[in-house]
Amino acid sequence: MLLTINNLDVTLGGLQILQDVSLHVDEGELVVVVGANGTGKSTLLRSISGM
Ligand SMILES: Nc1ncnc2c1ncn2[C@@H]1O[C@H](COP(=O)(O)OP(=O)(O)OP(=O)(O)O)[C@@H](O)[C@H]1O
Ligand SMILES: [Mg+2]
């Protein structure tokens, strides 16, 4: 297991940006996050990076 996220919520500026996000990445796996503009992809990666 390389990365596990369980039930991640992120609120920025009083708005809930991410709600109940869970994902799992195993060694050798490639996981892609897909979504329309402004749906929270960068917010997810910033959260994983601790930014
Ligand atoms: N620092 C912040 N404060 C308040 N709202 C924010 C902040 N950063 C991002 N948001 C909002 O969070 C939502 C998700 O933004 P985010 O940049 O994560 O989306 P994205 O999926 O990466 O978009 P794109 O495809 O355009 O790159 C947007 O509504 C954005 O306005
Ligand atoms: Mg982005």
Side-chain angles (χ1 to χ4, degrees):
M1 173 233 310
L2 285 181
L3 175 70
T4 298
I5 297 170
N6 290 319
N7 312 109
L8 174 66
D9 293 323
V10 174
T11 300
L12 295 171
L15 290 175
Q16 185 160 17
I17 307 300
L18 301 179
Q19 180 176 11
D20 201 26
V21 175
S22 298
L23 67 84
H24 183 83
V25 184
D26 274 324
E27 198 168 330
E29 274 188 337
L30 188 144
V31 173
V32 178
V33 178
V34 179
N37 294 127
T39 49
K41 303 177 299 292
S42 292
T43 300
L44 174 62
L45 294 179
R46 283 194 200 99
S47 301
I48 291 170
S49 307
M51 293 171 67

